[in-house]
Amino acid sequence: MVSLYDKLTFLACDGWSWGCPAETTVETAAALVAAVLAIFFFTWWWAKKLTKTNPPLPPGPRGLPLLGSLPFLKPELHSYFRELSETYGPIFKLQLGTRTCIVINSPPIAKEILKDQDAIFANRDIPVATVIGMFGGVNVAWRQNGPEYSRLRKFLIREMLSKNSLEASYSLRRREILQMVKDIHGKTGSSVKLGEQVALTTVKVMISSLWGGSSEKSNDLIEMRGKLEELVRLMGSPNVSDILPVFAPFDLQGIESKSRNIVLWFYGIFESVIKKRLKTGDDESKDFLQVMLEMNRRGDNKTSLTDMEVKALLLDMLIGGTDTIPTTVEWAMTELLRHPDIMKKLVEEIDTVTGKQNLVDDSHLPQLSYLEAIIKETLRLHPVAPLLLPHMSSEASTISGYTIPKHSKVFINAWAMQRNPQLWEDPHSFQPERFLKAEFSYQGNNLVYIPFGSGRRMCAGIAMAEKMVGLLLAVLVHSFEWKLPGEKRPDIQEKFGAVLKKMIPLEAIPYARLSDSKLYQ
Ligand code: HEM
């Protein structure tokens, strides 16, 4: 406070010395600054007193006037929130600029939000970075709760990401997985950045599933992958425009303009793909675009989609899948390379089910229970969305005996709950066996384990994620033996963002392990 006082006095006199001719003026200026500060703090304190709520607001750090706790935030938000919960308890409040944020670190309180009062908490605090080209207004992930949201989500889950749709588009996915095996085989004996390799395959799989495209050149795919990664990064970046909306028109960090360019770039691609499809009238395609166009052809106002919704859904799925799936596979491979005994047991399981004369196929996955346990354990320790996607309350409510004001932004710290020593035995060690002993589904029924969220806003792509992560991981460890380039175990440092990635990308060296060399061609 002394130094702030000194700085302000300096500004009042030295900074504008033309207004301070004599020593007495220094004292006057100092008194003036002190008076302004006193009025400011008194008004702030009085406003707080007047707005005291009953029941009270959750506890939390005090923060500074206007900025709240913004200056104290640490970049690794998920672990910082856990630290704060040690002081303030399982539910606490943070003021970030004009935004009231509520952080939940306990399953019973998460249940109140995501299940018991989910109608109130099923909205999103739409980031300014997504309100571009209507994207954030009409897509599933950012659309506000209501009949239009339910219609679109139902469509996405029932028509596009259903078991039948996924089975129909399997041949498209398989084609890209075979190409990945061939590409990796070409790199036998040299170091491969596994995350990048899988990410490129995932983009191809997503494009194939969405509009059947396989003709994109690899440079175009790399560009597309880069743009998706950048868009996800921008959406997850703290933006002054979101925190202090008065600055939104100035787009101080350029986040909105960068996001706009990327969204419009994707919309341009989608428009040309749709135009081409309508022109050729290719009814035989089994991709998602065809499903959407068929729906529109058959549908009435209730079921058909607007042009903008078609584009927003395509982008939703590209964003939903292309970062989450490869990141999960990279974390799983990291843990397997850190635990050779677990890797060995997994390879034995796949050899028994698939044999060494075949490549792993979708139909083998239901029999690979140890693989499933490994993926579940990976998502327990390394959930790609550690704080889920923030929810927003549409009205004031009471949670766990505290008032949650209307329009609060709610973070559910799945990462902290899934590492809580009171809920998990030896929580920091990688032990897939725990998922063989106890039944935990991805549907978020038991709030102790929610890597895909829970309730009405939970992930819409679980079925696809399960299939893709399972197939990619099984193919990688069954087709190749992986060695580390050095002596050191791969590290597990995290980098927080919209997706929780590895700080240091995983590198490993592949060697072919299947007897028939034709399987690699
Ligand atoms: C390992 C892979 C994935 C993980 C761990 C994951 C996790 C999540 C999480 C935690 C949420 C937020 C839930 C909430 O706010 O409560 C979410 C939302 C969403 N995910 Fe996923 N996801 C994955 C893959 C996918 C895929 C492949 C797609 C689509 C192709 C997808 C589409 C979506 C959509 C559309 C939403 C928004 C749902 C809504 O707001 O109603 N996700 N995901």
Side-chain angles (χ1 to χ4, degrees):
M1 186 53 70
V2 172
S3 69
L4 181 65
Y5 173 84
D6 288 346
K7 277 183 200 159
L8 288 169
T9 316
F10 170 82
L11 280 178
C13 285
D14 293 39
W16 289 289
S17 55
W18 45 267
C20 299
E23 252 177 37
T24 49
T25 326
V26 175
E27 279 157 25
T28 316
L32 198 71
V33 169
V36 168
L37 279 178
I39 292 169
F40 183 66
F41 281 112
F42 179 75
T43 315
W44 175 66
W45 171 81
W46 188 246
K48 276 188 98 118
K49 203 172 154 63
L50 277 183
T51 52
K52 265 228 152 83
T53 46
N54 190 15
L57 293 167
R62 274 183 175 277
L64 300 176
L66 208 64
L67 295 176
S69 295
L70 265 182
F72 313 114
L73 284 186
K74 294 185 187 167
E76 302 304 310
L77 218 50
H78 59 310
S79 48
Y80 176 57
F81 283 173
R82 185 179 60 184
E83 262 173 49
L84 288 180
S85 78
E86 279 159 19
T87 311
Y88 298 105
I91 172 167
F92 63 87
K93 172 182 141 320
L94 269 185
Q95 195 64 38
L96 300 182
T98 56
R99 288 281 192 273
T100 300
C101 299
I102 306 292
V103 184
I104 310 293
N105 289 281
S106 115
I109 306 179
K111 180 173 169 289
E112 286 185 57
I113 302 265
L114 298 175
K115 296 276 194 193
D116 307 344
Q117 300 199 36
D118 72 330
I120 293 177
F121 289 94
N123 274 323
R124 299 279 192 214
D125 185 12
I126 307 175
V128 172
T130 66
V131 192
I132 298 136
M134 294 280 287
F135 176 59
V138 295
N139 71 330
V140 171
W142 297 116
R143 201 166 201 159
Q144 296 304 16
N145 186 27
E148 288 302 296
Y149 161 74
S150 304
R151 174 181 66 89
L152 214 59
R153 184 176 161 104
K154 224 179 261 166
F155 174 82
L156 189 62
I157 291 181
R158 287 207 191 142
E159 303 296 332
M160 297 171 71
L161 297 170
S162 67
K163 208 168 161 265
N164 287 349
S165 277
L166 288 172
E167 268 163 23
S169 60
Y170 174 57
S171 58
L172 301 169
R173 290 199 296 282
R174 181 151 183 83
R175 180 182 70 194
E176 304 307 340
I177 302 260
L178 293 180
Q179 185 60 46
M180 178 186 80
V181 171
K182 191 174 164 191
D183 288 350
I184 295 179
H185 189 245
K187 296 175 188 165
T188 299
S190 45
S191 190
V192 170
K193 279 200 170 151
L194 256 156
E196 266 176 31
Q197 180 73 52
V198 175
L200 213 57
T201 303
T202 311
V203 176
K204 287 195 209 168
V205 169
M206 292 305 292
I207 294 175
S208 294
S209 312
L210 292 176
W211 63 84
S214 65
S215 56
E216 280 79 2
K217 292 187 214 90
S218 68
N219 278 352
D220 295 347
L221 289 168
I222 291 170
E223 187 182 6
M224 187 176 280
R225 154 96 188 120
K227 291 212 186 275
L228 279 171
E229 203 172 26
E230 176 67 357
L231 187 57
V232 171
R233 193 189 65 73
L234 290 168
M235 284 180 190
S237 305
N239 188 350
V240 174
S241 306
D242 288 322
I243 297 160
L244 300 166
V246 61
F247 291 114
F250 307 108
D251 188 20
L252 291 174
Q253 294 148 280
I255 292 182
E256 192 183 339
S257 60
K258 285 183 206 152
S259 310
R260 173 190 303 278
N261 290 342
I262 299 179
V263 170
L264 296 182
W265 185 85
F266 275 105
Y267 279 10
I269 294 182
F270 300 160
E271 276 156 21
S272 77
V273 170
I274 295 169
K275 217 161 142 189
K276 208 161 134 198
R277 178 66 58 86
L278 290 174
K279 206 166 149 194
T280 55
D282 172 12
D283 290 352
E284 295 304 304
S285 296
K286 295 186 165 45
D287 51 54
F288 294 156
L289 176 62
Q290 195 58 31
V291 177
M292 287 199 253
L293 296 177
E294 290 280 310
M295 285 290 288
N296 272 3
R297 197 175 304 156
R298 279 185 278 126
D300 47 32
N301 282 345
K302 274 194 194 144
T303 51
S304 52
L305 304 168
T306 64
D307 289 356
M308 194 56 88
E309 284 173 336
V310 170
K311 287 188 278 182
L313 276 190
L314 287 171
L315 191 52
D316 240 356
M317 285 200 284
L318 270 181
I319 294 175
T322 35
D323 236 11
T324 51
I325 291 171
T327 303
T328 305
V329 173
E330 189 179 7
W331 276 117
M333 283 298 287
T334 303
E335 291 291 4
L336 289 172
L337 287 164
R338 286 168 61 85
H339 300 91
D341 50 328
I342 298 177
M343 171 77 100
K344 185 165 171 273
K345 208 169 148 189
L346 172 63
V347 174
E348 277 167 11
E349 178 184 68
I350 307 176
D351 278 347
T352 310
V353 172
T354 304
K356 281 180 93 171
Q357 317 73 23
N358 305 303
L359 281 182
V360 185
D361 188 86
D362 240 15
S363 64
H364 301 147
L365 296 181
Q367 298 166 68
L368 300 172
S369 48
Y370 196 55
L371 173 78
E372 189 187 330
I374 286 171
I375 297 169
K376 284 191 169 159
E377 179 68 340
T378 302
L379 284 167
R380 181 186 70 81
L381 275 175
H382 312 289
V384 288
L387 302 172
L388 310 184
L389 279 180
H391 290 229
M392 192 180 68
S393 53
S394 54
E395 55 186 83
S397 70
T398 304
I399 295 285
S400 186
Y402 294 109
T403 293
I404 308 298
K406 183 177 176 177
H407 291 163
S408 296
K409 189 168 180 166
V410 180
F411 294 95
I412 310 281
N413 198 343
W415 178 88
M417 296 192 303
Q418 293 178 179
R419 286 170 176 244
N420 184 337
Q422 279 157 9
L423 304 171
W424 299 89
E425 208 185 306
D426 198 2
H428 299 289
S429 77
F430 186 76
Q431 292 176 15
E433 278 71 15
R434 67 175 98 231
F435 285 98
L436 295 175
K437 288 182 209 144
E439 176 70 25
F440 282 97
S441 84
Y442 288 134
Q443 302 306 321
N445 301 326
N446 183 344
L447 277 283
V448 166
Y449 183 67
I450 49 168
F452 291 95
S454 177
R456 72 175 77 188
R457 285 230 82 135
M458 72 184 300
C459 178
I462 299 179
M464 183 169 203
E466 232 182 318
K467 276 190 183 298
M468 284 286 299
V469 174
L471 191 60
L472 282 162
L473 190 59
V475 165
L476 284 174
V477 302
H478 177 251
S479 309
F480 301 98
E481 186 181 342
W482 294 89
K483 299 229 159 88
L484 290 166
E487 297 292 302
K488 262 175 78 182
R489 286 170 102 196
D491 89 328
I492 46 169
Q493 256 190 89
E494 302 166 328
K495 192 167 124 204
F496 180 83
V499 168
L500 189 68
K501 297 203 174 200
K502 282 188 85 246
M503 181 75 88
I504 302 168
L506 176 66
E507 288 195 41
I509 306 169
Y511 294 93
R513 67 175 293 278
L514 299 180
S515 39
D516 185 354
S517 60
K518 285 200 206 87
L519 293 172
Y520 295 99
Q521 284 153 21

